[in-house]
Amino acid sequence: MSLDIGNTSFTEFDSYLDNMTKSCPFLKPALDYNSVINKRFQLNDKNYKKIEENIFWISLQATEEFRNVRRALTGQKKTLFNVNLIFIYDEGIKGNVLDWPHYILKLLYSKVGVVYGKFHNGALKTNRHGLLMPSPPFTHLAIRSAIKSKDARFFNKTPDLVDDILTSKDEREDVLAPFGVSISDINPFSNKIRNELYQELYNWAKESL
């Protein structure tokens, strides 16, 4: 089970984003254009795999909402539009819960020009200059449009997706169609069907490695 707390702004995360502008050249203009939306979700499950699966479905739905909003934007607003999905869950859940949802989403959405950043609570990473980035106060997934001239370098671990990014174009295609379902059918799906479809997507992603 999950609870959508909705659009949110709170001091700790806002301060983190401000500090991240030093490491992410995309972020400062996005903030200056008021093009950043933060959404917070409370995940009440106690099971690691359920948390992972819920993160995937929340992120897939948010990506579809992102695509819909993006179509109505123009110019810099369209390029800079950015959504952060912040996930709050039991502190006893250990591990990188974003890893598989993030990878599956990359496989599904790179061809329509959507890219993702994954940030686990407390993780320490370096930026492109080798400098330490601010440690995220919350686990979150960032969604934005691909910047073709810059983003290919982020796909060094998944080089097969570089061509998808460089040739990406959003023509409203249904990314789940190859799996015999439609995005529009997801919300009414029973938990059992969601579980089975997530497992199918997980196996598909695993085979691509």
Side-chain angles (χ1 to χ4, degrees), residues 130-174:
L131 301 175
L132 199 62
M133 296 166 60
S135 177
F138 304 98
T139 293
H140 64 285
L141 190 79
I143 307 172
R144 65 172 175 83
S145 291
I147 301 174
K148 296 180 182 181
S149 61
K150 298 181 182 296
D151 282 330
R153 62 189 171 88
F154 293 121
F155 286 75
N156 59 312
K157 293 183 179 179
T158 51
D160 292 346
L161 295 179
V162 171
D163 285 344
D164 283 351
I165 288 294
L166 294 178
T167 60
S168 62
K169 187 177 182 181
D170 195 342
E171 297 182 323
R172 302 184 182 229
E173 52 265 64
D174 190 324

Side-chain angles (χ1 to χ4, degrees), residues 26-60:
F26 169 89
L27 186 55
K28 187 178 188 311
L31 290 169
D32 289 345
Y33 270 79
N34 293 318
S35 294
V36 178
I37 295 175
N38 302 320
K39 298 197 75 177
R40 184 164 41 150
F41 297 86
Q42 179 72 47
L43 306 178
N44 297 322
D45 292 284
K46 304 295 184 182
N47 178 273
Y48 181 97
K49 292 300 291 184
K50 285 302 298 179
I51 293 287
E52 183 184 272
E53 184 181 330
N54 280 337
I55 285 174
F56 171 76
W57 289 118
I58 289 168
S59 302
L60 183 135

